Amino acid sequence: MGAPRLHAYLRNEHPEIRSFLLDFDHRMYFFYHDYDYAWYNMCNNHFFDQAQHLQFEKFLKCEPNDKLLIFTDPPFGCRTEPIAGTLRQLTREYNKINKLPHTPLPIFWIFPYFSEHYIQQEMPHLHMCDYKVNYTNHKEYTDVGDKSRKLGSPVRVFTNIPLEVLHLPVEEAYKYCVQCERYTALENRHCNKCGKCPSKNGSTYRHCELCGCCVKPNYVHCKNCRRCTQAEEHNCEMYQANQRCWICQEKGHTEMNCEEWLNYCGASRLVYGQNDKVITCLICRKKGHNERNCKQRSKYLEEVTFMGVTELKFK
């Protein structure tokens, strides 16, 4: 879906793999037949040619041993909501044609790492793989050339396939993390305190004791905001207005200004040492972790997560 070069590669190099291209570029009409191409808008799941749609439905009809995968490379300017909606509709269509119960289709969604939050809001079962996708026709999305990014391409693969089964090439600067039990980028060092390989942007993150989590190496800690952030043009009021509280999970304030927690536990629970060198959790009052990772959250908070949306209430 939106990946004509991959479609051409599979046709030429791996003819044993059947591929069907859904693409908005109607010029593909002159290169492919209706049985392997459809003029298509991925933002609203619209087929411009009904005959091509019928051919696509035939393609979706699978034998018991067949395996089908959706690979999509949408324009980065697209919002994630319509793309996610289309992926859900295609999955339902596949299940209907093959008379299956709800069976998720494997998905590879190519998108920048900084869109992870938006993708997981719509499709929480998709997780970001460390693999960096290079584009030969986009200089800013590659690690080759004079205008390439220092940290490599920001484009990643989001998938619902377990990351443990994806083997990334060691010769391309990837390694196997024994603790995470999956392949990660070479610069993505495992943090024993966070219990994961935290890097997302291609740099080596460092663990901030005052945040209780790993942060980008160029970030500095702001004690007023209780966060690590960029030092340049930092405005505490504006920054906090865009943050999500680590206690109530609501956007617009930090833990120190959480009215719900203040009303629930009183002002004494919001006091912490400004000169401390290690973070103090406002929930359990213990040092070394933040409120998101507090093991006593369930003592005070009842959290229910469904389809990526968490509902929270105080007990």
Side-chain angles (χ1 to χ4, degrees), residues 67-106:
K67 295 180 180 179
L68 186 67
L69 178 144
I70 299 178
F71 184 99
T72 181
D73 185 10
F76 298 156
C78 284
R79 292 185 63 90
T80 55
E81 297 92 338
I83 305 301
T86 292
L87 292 172
R88 286 191 288 266
Q89 290 180 58
L90 291 177
T91 300
R92 286 195 294 267
E93 187 174 5
Y94 165 79
N95 288 324
K96 181 180 179 181
I97 290 173
N98 292 281
K99 298 179 180 179
L100 297 172
H102 177 67
T103 304
L105 281 172

mmCIF file of all heavy atoms in Angstrom, residues 67-106:
data_model
loop_
_atom_site.group_PDB
_atom_site.id
_atom_site.type_symbol
_atom_site.label_atom_id
_atom_site.label_comp_id
_atom_site.label_asym_id
_atom_site.label_seq_id
_atom_site.Cartn_x
_atom_site.Cartn_y
_atom_site.Cartn_z
ATOM 1 N N LYS A 67 0.039 -17.018 3.566
ATOM 2 C CA LYS A 67 0.292 -15.980 4.565
ATOM 3 C C LYS A 67 0.237 -14.620 3.883
ATOM 4 O O LYS A 67 0.871 -14.404 2.855
ATOM 5 C CB LYS A 67 1.661 -16.189 5.224
ATOM 6 C CG LYS A 67 1.759 -17.479 6.036
ATOM 7 C CD LYS A 67 3.133 -17.634 6.670
ATOM 8 C CE LYS A 67 3.217 -18.926 7.470
ATOM 9 N NZ LYS A 67 4.564 -19.105 8.084
ATOM 10 N N LEU A 68 -0.525 -13.723 4.472
ATOM 11 C CA LEU A 68 -0.715 -12.396 3.893
ATOM 12 C C LEU A 68 -0.184 -11.334 4.843
ATOM 13 O O LEU A 68 -0.356 -11.430 6.064
ATOM 14 C CB LEU A 68 -2.201 -12.155 3.622
ATOM 15 C CG LEU A 68 -2.563 -10.864 2.884
ATOM 16 C CD1 LEU A 68 -2.032 -10.900 1.454
ATOM 17 C CD2 LEU A 68 -4.076 -10.665 2.869
ATOM 18 N N LEU A 69 0.469 -10.320 4.287
ATOM 19 C CA LEU A 69 1.033 -9.231 5.079
ATOM 20 C C LEU A 69 0.721 -7.903 4.398
ATOM 21 O O LEU A 69 0.772 -7.802 3.170
ATOM 22 C CB LEU A 69 2.548 -9.411 5.229
ATOM 23 C CG LEU A 69 3.332 -8.338 5.983
ATOM 24 C CD1 LEU A 69 4.463 -8.973 6.797
ATOM 25 C CD2 LEU A 69 3.933 -7.308 5.020
ATOM 26 N N ILE A 70 0.394 -6.895 5.193
ATOM 27 C CA ILE A 70 0.173 -5.546 4.665
ATOM 28 C C ILE A 70 1.421 -4.712 4.920
ATOM 29 O O ILE A 70 1.868 -4.577 6.063
ATOM 30 C CB ILE A 70 -1.037 -4.865 5.324
ATOM 31 C CG1 ILE A 70 -2.319 -5.659 5.060
ATOM 32 C CG2 ILE A 70 -1.188 -3.439 4.805
ATOM 33 C CD1 ILE A 70 -3.546 -5.065 5.735
ATOM 34 N N PHE A 71 1.964 -4.167 3.855
ATOM 35 C CA PHE A 71 3.120 -3.266 3.954
ATOM 36 C C PHE A 71 2.663 -1.902 3.458
ATOM 37 O O PHE A 71 2.216 -1.768 2.319
ATOM 38 C CB PHE A 71 4.275 -3.789 3.096
ATOM 39 C CG PHE A 71 5.538 -2.979 3.212
ATOM 40 C CD1 PHE A 71 6.569 -3.387 4.043
ATOM 41 C CD2 PHE A 71 5.699 -1.802 2.491
ATOM 42 C CE1 PHE A 71 7.737 -2.641 4.148
ATOM 43 C CE2 PHE A 71 6.854 -1.046 2.593
ATOM 44 C CZ PHE A 71 7.879 -1.471 3.427
ATOM 45 N N THR A 72 2.763 -0.890 4.305
ATOM 46 C CA THR A 72 2.316 0.441 3.906
ATOM 47 C C THR A 72 3.387 1.487 4.184
ATOM 48 O O THR A 72 4.036 1.472 5.234
ATOM 49 C CB THR A 72 0.999 0.828 4.615
ATOM 50 O OG1 THR A 72 0.590 2.124 4.173
ATOM 51 C CG2 THR A 72 1.160 0.852 6.132
ATOM 52 N N ASP A 73 3.570 2.367 3.219
ATOM 53 C CA ASP A 73 4.553 3.450 3.312
ATOM 54 C C ASP A 73 3.855 4.756 2.935
ATOM 55 O O ASP A 73 4.079 5.307 1.860
ATOM 56 C CB ASP A 73 5.728 3.160 2.372
ATOM 57 C CG ASP A 73 6.852 4.183 2.511
ATOM 58 O OD1 ASP A 73 6.805 4.994 3.456
ATOM 59 O OD2 ASP A 73 7.763 4.174 1.666
ATOM 60 N N PRO A 74 2.989 5.255 3.812
ATOM 61 C CA PRO A 74 2.206 6.450 3.475
ATOM 62 C C PRO A 74 3.046 7.717 3.516
ATOM 63 O O PRO A 74 4.110 7.749 4.146
ATOM 64 C CB PRO A 74 1.131 6.471 4.573
ATOM 65 C CG PRO A 74 1.765 5.772 5.724
ATOM 66 C CD PRO A 74 2.677 4.736 5.146
ATOM 67 N N PRO A 75 2.587 8.778 2.854
ATOM 68 C CA PRO A 75 3.279 10.070 2.977
ATOM 69 C C PRO A 75 3.321 10.504 4.437
ATOM 70 O O PRO A 75 2.348 10.331 5.175
ATOM 71 C CB PRO A 75 2.403 11.015 2.137
ATOM 72 C CG PRO A 75 1.658 10.118 1.202
ATOM 73 C CD PRO A 75 1.437 8.843 1.947
ATOM 74 N N PHE A 76 4.450 11.060 4.848
ATOM 75 C CA PHE A 76 4.611 11.408 6.261
ATOM 76 C C PHE A 76 3.711 12.561 6.688
ATOM 77 O O PHE A 76 3.540 12.814 7.877
ATOM 78 C CB PHE A 76 6.073 11.745 6.553
ATOM 79 C CG PHE A 76 7.009 10.584 6.311
ATOM 80 C CD1 PHE A 76 8.345 10.797 6.033
ATOM 81 C CD2 PHE A 76 6.543 9.281 6.356
ATOM 82 C CE1 PHE A 76 9.205 9.734 5.805
ATOM 83 C CE2 PHE A 76 7.379 8.208 6.124
ATOM 84 C CZ PHE A 76 8.721 8.436 5.846
ATOM 85 N N GLY A 77 3.132 13.259 5.717
ATOM 86 C CA GLY A 77 2.198 14.328 6.052
ATOM 87 C C GLY A 77 0.808 13.821 6.387
ATOM 88 O O GLY A 77 -0.030 14.584 6.871
ATOM 89 N N CYS A 78 0.555 12.545 6.143
ATOM 90 C CA CYS A 78 -0.761 11.971 6.443
ATOM 91 C C CYS A 78 -0.967 11.856 7.948
ATOM 92 O O CYS A 78 -0.039 11.532 8.686
ATOM 93 C CB CYS A 78 -0.888 10.580 5.821
ATOM 94 S SG CYS A 78 -1.180 10.570 4.056
ATOM 95 N N ARG A 79 -2.181 12.091 8.374
ATOM 96 C CA ARG A 79 -2.520 11.827 9.766
ATOM 97 C C ARG A 79 -2.633 10.322 9.972
ATOM 98 O O ARG A 79 -2.954 9.568 9.048
ATOM 99 C CB ARG A 79 -3.835 12.519 10.142
ATOM 100 C CG ARG A 79 -3.740 14.041 10.168
ATOM 101 C CD ARG A 79 -5.044 14.644 10.669
ATOM 102 N NE ARG A 79 -5.330 14.258 12.046
ATOM 103 C CZ ARG A 79 -4.935 14.932 13.118
ATOM 104 N NH1 ARG A 79 -4.204 16.026 12.968
ATOM 105 N NH2 ARG A 79 -5.258 14.532 14.327
ATOM 106 N N THR A 80 -2.372 9.909 11.195
ATOM 107 C CA THR A 80 -2.374 8.476 11.474
ATOM 108 C C THR A 80 -3.788 7.898 11.567
ATOM 109 O O THR A 80 -3.986 6.709 11.314
ATOM 110 C CB THR A 80 -1.629 8.192 12.789
ATOM 111 O OG1 THR A 80 -2.206 8.984 13.844
ATOM 112 C CG2 THR A 80 -0.154 8.553 12.659
ATOM 113 N N GLU A 81 -4.776 8.727 11.915
ATOM 114 C CA GLU A 81 -6.134 8.217 12.103
ATOM 115 C C GLU A 81 -6.708 7.573 10.838
ATOM 116 O O GLU A 81 -7.217 6.436 10.903
ATOM 117 C CB GLU A 81 -7.077 9.323 12.600
ATOM 118 C CG GLU A 81 -6.732 9.889 13.960
ATOM 119 C CD GLU A 81 -5.828 11.099 13.880
ATOM 120 O OE1 GLU A 81 -5.141 11.246 12.846
ATOM 121 O OE2 GLU A 81 -5.802 11.894 14.832
ATOM 122 N N PRO A 82 -6.676 8.252 9.673
ATOM 123 C CA PRO A 82 -7.253 7.610 8.480
ATOM 124 C C PRO A 82 -6.476 6.383 8.016
ATOM 125 O O PRO A 82 -7.078 5.422 7.526
ATOM 126 C CB PRO A 82 -7.226 8.727 7.426
ATOM 127 C CG PRO A 82 -6.209 9.699 7.901
ATOM 128 C CD PRO A 82 -6.262 9.645 9.387
ATOM 129 N N ILE A 83 -5.151 6.406 8.168
ATOM 130 C CA ILE A 83 -4.360 5.238 7.759
ATOM 131 C C ILE A 83 -4.708 4.044 8.643
ATOM 132 O O ILE A 83 -4.906 2.926 8.158
ATOM 133 C CB ILE A 83 -2.851 5.543 7.843
ATOM 134 C CG1 ILE A 83 -2.502 6.784 7.016
ATOM 135 C CG2 ILE A 83 -2.046 4.337 7.359
ATOM 136 C CD1 ILE A 83 -2.847 6.680 5.558
ATOM 137 N N ALA A 84 -4.796 4.281 9.946
ATOM 138 C CA ALA A 84 -5.162 3.202 10.869
ATOM 139 C C ALA A 84 -6.567 2.690 10.570
ATOM 140 O O ALA A 84 -6.822 1.478 10.612
ATOM 141 C CB ALA A 84 -5.068 3.695 12.311
ATOM 142 N N GLY A 85 -7.473 3.604 10.246
ATOM 143 C CA GLY A 85 -8.830 3.192 9.898
ATOM 144 C C GLY A 85 -8.855 2.310 8.664
ATOM 145 O O GLY A 85 -9.594 1.317 8.601
ATOM 146 N N THR A 86 -8.046 2.651 7.667
ATOM 147 C CA THR A 86 -7.964 1.846 6.451
ATOM 148 C C THR A 86 -7.400 0.460 6.743
ATOM 149 O O THR A 86 -7.899 -0.549 6.229
ATOM 150 C CB THR A 86 -7.089 2.561 5.407
ATOM 151 O OG1 THR A 86 -7.761 3.737 4.962
ATOM 152 C CG2 THR A 86 -6.814 1.663 4.211
ATOM 153 N N LEU A 87 -6.369 0.395 7.569
ATOM 154 C CA LEU A 87 -5.784 -0.904 7.919
ATOM 155 C C LEU A 87 -6.802 -1.791 8.627
ATOM 156 O O LEU A 87 -6.864 -3.004 8.391
ATOM 157 C CB LEU A 87 -4.547 -0.697 8.798
ATOM 158 C CG LEU A 87 -3.337 -0.053 8.108
ATOM 159 C CD1 LEU A 87 -2.249 0.269 9.128
ATOM 160 C CD2 LEU A 87 -2.788 -0.959 7.019
ATOM 161 N N ARG A 88 -7.618 -1.186 9.476
ATOM 162 C CA ARG A 88 -8.659 -1.965 10.163
ATOM 163 C C ARG A 88 -9.716 -2.454 9.168
ATOM 164 O O ARG A 88 -10.187 -3.601 9.264
ATOM 165 C CB ARG A 88 -9.298 -1.120 11.267
ATOM 166 C CG ARG A 88 -8.405 -0.932 12.494
ATOM 167 C CD ARG A 88 -9.178 -0.321 13.651
ATOM 168 N NE ARG A 88 -9.471 1.083 13.407
ATOM 169 C CZ ARG A 88 -8.715 2.090 13.841
ATOM 170 N NH1 ARG A 88 -7.606 1.845 14.530
ATOM 171 N NH2 ARG A 88 -9.057 3.348 13.603
ATOM 172 N N GLN A 89 -10.077 -1.601 8.208
ATOM 173 C CA GLN A 89 -11.075 -2.001 7.213
ATOM 174 C C GLN A 89 -10.555 -3.121 6.318
ATOM 175 O O GLN A 89 -11.298 -4.053 5.986
ATOM 176 C CB GLN A 89 -11.466 -0.787 6.364
ATOM 177 C CG GLN A 89 -12.278 0.256 7.108
ATOM 178 C CD GLN A 89 -12.647 1.429 6.217
ATOM 179 O OE1 GLN A 89 -13.286 1.271 5.184
ATOM 180 N NE2 GLN A 89 -12.223 2.621 6.611
ATOM 181 N N LEU A 90 -9.295 -3.048 5.927
ATOM 182 C CA LEU A 90 -8.711 -4.105 5.101
ATOM 183 C C LEU A 90 -8.658 -5.427 5.863
ATOM 184 O O LEU A 90 -8.883 -6.499 5.291
ATOM 185 C CB LEU A 90 -7.311 -3.698 4.640
ATOM 186 C CG LEU A 90 -7.229 -2.544 3.637
ATOM 187 C CD1 LEU A 90 -5.776 -2.208 3.336
ATOM 188 C CD2 LEU A 90 -7.976 -2.883 2.350
ATOM 189 N N THR A 91 -8.372 -5.348 7.150
ATOM 190 C CA THR A 91 -8.346 -6.565 7.969
ATOM 191 C C THR A 91 -9.735 -7.184 8.057
ATOM 192 O O THR A 91 -9.895 -8.407 7.935
ATOM 193 C CB THR A 91 -7.815 -6.240 9.377
ATOM 194 O OG1 THR A 91 -6.480 -5.721 9.278
ATOM 195 C CG2 THR A 91 -7.792 -7.487 10.252
ATOM 196 N N ARG A 92 -10.744 -6.342 8.253
ATOM 197 C CA ARG A 92 -12.119 -6.857 8.311
ATOM 198 C C ARG A 92 -12.530 -7.470 6.973
ATOM 199 O O ARG A 92 -13.201 -8.512 6.937
ATOM 200 C CB ARG A 92 -13.084 -5.730 8.703
ATOM 201 C CG ARG A 92 -13.014 -5.340 10.169
ATOM 202 C CD ARG A 92 -14.215 -4.501 10.576
ATOM 203 N NE ARG A 92 -14.226 -3.215 9.895
ATOM 204 C CZ ARG A 92 -13.699 -2.104 10.402
ATOM 205 N NH1 ARG A 92 -13.104 -2.128 11.589
ATOM 206 N NH2 ARG A 92 -13.769 -0.963 9.733
ATOM 207 N N GLU A 93 -12.129 -6.828 5.881
ATOM 208 C CA GLU A 93 -12.465 -7.350 4.556
ATOM 209 C C GLU A 93 -11.802 -8.708 4.322
ATOM 210 O O GLU A 93 -12.421 -9.632 3.781
ATOM 211 C CB GLU A 93 -12.031 -6.358 3.475
ATOM 212 C CG GLU A 93 -12.477 -6.734 2.073
ATOM 213 C CD GLU A 93 -12.169 -5.658 1.050
ATOM 214 O OE1 GLU A 93 -11.516 -4.651 1.416
ATOM 215 O OE2 GLU A 93 -12.572 -5.819 -0.118
ATOM 216 N N TYR A 94 -10.563 -8.833 4.747
ATOM 217 C CA TYR A 94 -9.848 -10.111 4.621
ATOM 218 C C TYR A 94 -10.558 -11.207 5.414
ATOM 219 O O TYR A 94 -10.753 -12.327 4.921
ATOM 220 C CB TYR A 94 -8.414 -9.927 5.115
ATOM 221 C CG TYR A 94 -7.673 -11.217 5.371
ATOM 222 C CD1 TYR A 94 -7.127 -11.949 4.321
ATOM 223 C CD2 TYR A 94 -7.525 -11.708 6.669
ATOM 224 C CE1 TYR A 94 -6.448 -13.140 4.558
ATOM 225 C CE2 TYR A 94 -6.849 -12.889 6.912
ATOM 226 C CZ TYR A 94 -6.314 -13.602 5.855
ATOM 227 O OH TYR A 94 -5.649 -14.778 6.098
ATOM 228 N N ASN A 95 -10.952 -10.901 6.633
ATOM 229 C CA ASN A 95 -11.641 -11.892 7.465
ATOM 230 C C ASN A 95 -12.997 -12.276 6.877
ATOM 231 O O ASN A 95 -13.400 -13.447 6.918
ATOM 232 C CB ASN A 95 -11.818 -11.350 8.884
ATOM 233 C CG ASN A 95 -10.511 -11.293 9.653
ATOM 234 O OD1 ASN A 95 -9.664 -12.164 9.501
ATOM 235 N ND2 ASN A 95 -10.324 -10.269 10.468
ATOM 236 N N LYS A 96 -13.694 -11.290 6.328
ATOM 237 C CA LYS A 96 -15.014 -11.557 5.744
ATOM 238 C C LYS A 96 -14.898 -12.447 4.514
ATOM 239 O O LYS A 96 -15.661 -13.415 4.353
ATOM 240 C CB LYS A 96 -15.687 -10.234 5.382
ATOM 241 C CG LYS A 96 -17.070 -10.393 4.780
ATOM 242 C CD LYS A 96 -17.677 -9.038 4.449
ATOM 243 C CE LYS A 96 -19.064 -9.198 3.813
ATOM 244 N NZ LYS A 96 -19.648 -7.866 3.474
ATOM 245 N N ILE A 97 -13.945 -12.151 3.638
ATOM 246 C CA ILE A 97 -13.774 -12.922 2.405
ATOM 247 C C ILE A 97 -13.374 -14.362 2.709
ATOM 248 O O ILE A 97 -13.839 -15.306 2.057
ATOM 249 C CB ILE A 97 -12.728 -12.241 1.496
ATOM 250 C CG1 ILE A 97 -13.299 -10.938 0.933
ATOM 251 C CG2 ILE A 97 -12.291 -13.164 0.362
ATOM 252 C CD1 ILE A 97 -12.298 -10.113 0.158
ATOM 253 N N ASN A 98 -12.534 -14.540 3.716
ATOM 254 C CA ASN A 98 -12.053 -15.881 4.054
ATOM 255 C C ASN A 98 -12.880 -16.556 5.144
ATOM 256 O O ASN A 98 -12.510 -17.636 5.618
ATOM 257 C CB ASN A 98 -10.583 -15.802 4.488
ATOM 258 C CG ASN A 98 -9.660 -15.438 3.337
ATOM 259 O OD1 ASN A 98 -9.322 -16.273 2.511
ATOM 260 N ND2 ASN A 98 -9.260 -14.173 3.279
ATOM 261 N N LYS A 99 -13.988 -15.888 5.538
ATOM 262 C CA LYS A 99 -14.908 -16.439 6.538
ATOM 263 C C LYS A 99 -14.172 -16.840 7.817
ATOM 264 O O LYS A 99 -14.300 -17.959 8.323
ATOM 265 C CB LYS A 99 -15.664 -17.635 5.954
ATOM 266 C CG LYS A 99 -16.523 -17.272 4.746
ATOM 267 C CD LYS A 99 -17.248 -18.478 4.184
ATOM 268 C CE LYS A 99 -18.097 -18.073 2.974
ATOM 269 N NZ LYS A 99 -18.810 -19.241 2.388
ATOM 270 N N LEU A 100 -13.395 -15.891 8.308
ATOM 271 C CA LEU A 100 -12.604 -16.117 9.513
ATOM 272 C C LEU A 100 -13.164 -15.301 10.669
ATOM 273 O O LEU A 100 -13.806 -14.266 10.453
ATOM 274 C CB LEU A 100 -11.144 -15.705 9.274
ATOM 275 C CG LEU A 100 -10.360 -16.481 8.214
ATOM 276 C CD1 LEU A 100 -9.016 -15.801 7.975
ATOM 277 C CD2 LEU A 100 -10.147 -17.924 8.649
ATOM 278 N N PRO A 101 -12.939 -15.752 11.895
ATOM 279 C CA PRO A 101 -13.211 -14.862 13.031
ATOM 280 C C PRO A 101 -12.202 -13.720 12.995
ATOM 281 O O PRO A 101 -11.359 -13.658 12.089
ATOM 282 C CB PRO A 101 -12.989 -15.774 14.245
ATOM 283 C CG PRO A 101 -12.045 -16.818 13.753
ATOM 284 C CD PRO A 101 -12.394 -17.050 12.307
ATOM 285 N N HIS A 102 -12.263 -12.832 13.944
ATOM 286 C CA HIS A 102 -11.333 -11.695 13.906
ATOM 287 C C HIS A 102 -9.895 -12.194 13.979
ATOM 288 O O HIS A 102 -9.429 -12.661 15.011
ATOM 289 C CB HIS A 102 -11.596 -10.728 15.052
ATOM 290 C CG HIS A 102 -10.618 -9.588 15.068
ATOM 291 N ND1 HIS A 102 -10.578 -8.629 14.078
ATOM 292 C CD2 HIS A 102 -9.622 -9.279 15.928
ATOM 293 C CE1 HIS A 102 -9.606 -7.770 14.335
ATOM 294 N NE2 HIS A 102 -9.011 -8.139 15.456
ATOM 295 N N THR A 103 -9.211 -12.111 12.845
ATOM 296 C CA THR A 103 -7.820 -12.551 12.751
ATOM 297 C C THR A 103 -6.968 -11.373 12.301
ATOM 298 O O THR A 103 -7.131 -10.884 11.179
ATOM 299 C CB THR A 103 -7.676 -13.705 11.742
ATOM 300 O OG1 THR A 103 -8.546 -14.773 12.119
ATOM 301 C CG2 THR A 103 -6.233 -14.196 11.689
ATOM 302 N N PRO A 104 -6.086 -10.870 13.150
ATOM 303 C CA PRO A 104 -5.266 -9.718 12.750
ATOM 304 C C PRO A 104 -4.286 -10.084 11.645
ATOM 305 O O PRO A 104 -3.729 -11.183 11.630
ATOM 306 C CB PRO A 104 -4.534 -9.335 14.040
ATOM 307 C CG PRO A 104 -4.525 -10.583 14.863
ATOM 308 C CD PRO A 104 -5.784 -11.319 14.516
ATOM 309 N N LEU A 105 -4.106 -9.173 10.717
ATOM 310 C CA LEU A 105 -3.123 -9.355 9.653
ATOM 311 C C LEU A 105 -1.790 -8.756 10.084
ATOM 312 O O LEU A 105 -1.762 -7.690 10.710
ATOM 313 C CB LEU A 105 -3.590 -8.666 8.369
ATOM 314 C CG LEU A 105 -4.637 -9.391 7.528
ATOM 315 C CD1 LEU A 105 -5.115 -8.484 6.402
ATOM 316 C CD2 LEU A 105 -4.068 -10.678 6.957
ATOM 317 N N PRO A 106 -0.680 -9.411 9.764
ATOM 318 C CA PRO A 106 0.625 -8.794 10.037
ATOM 319 C C PRO A 106 0.754 -7.477 9.269
ATOM 320 O O PRO A 106 0.378 -7.393 8.097
ATOM 321 C CB PRO A 106 1.623 -9.839 9.533
ATOM 322 C CG PRO A 106 0.866 -11.126 9.525
ATOM 323 C CD PRO A 106 -0.548 -10.762 9.201
#
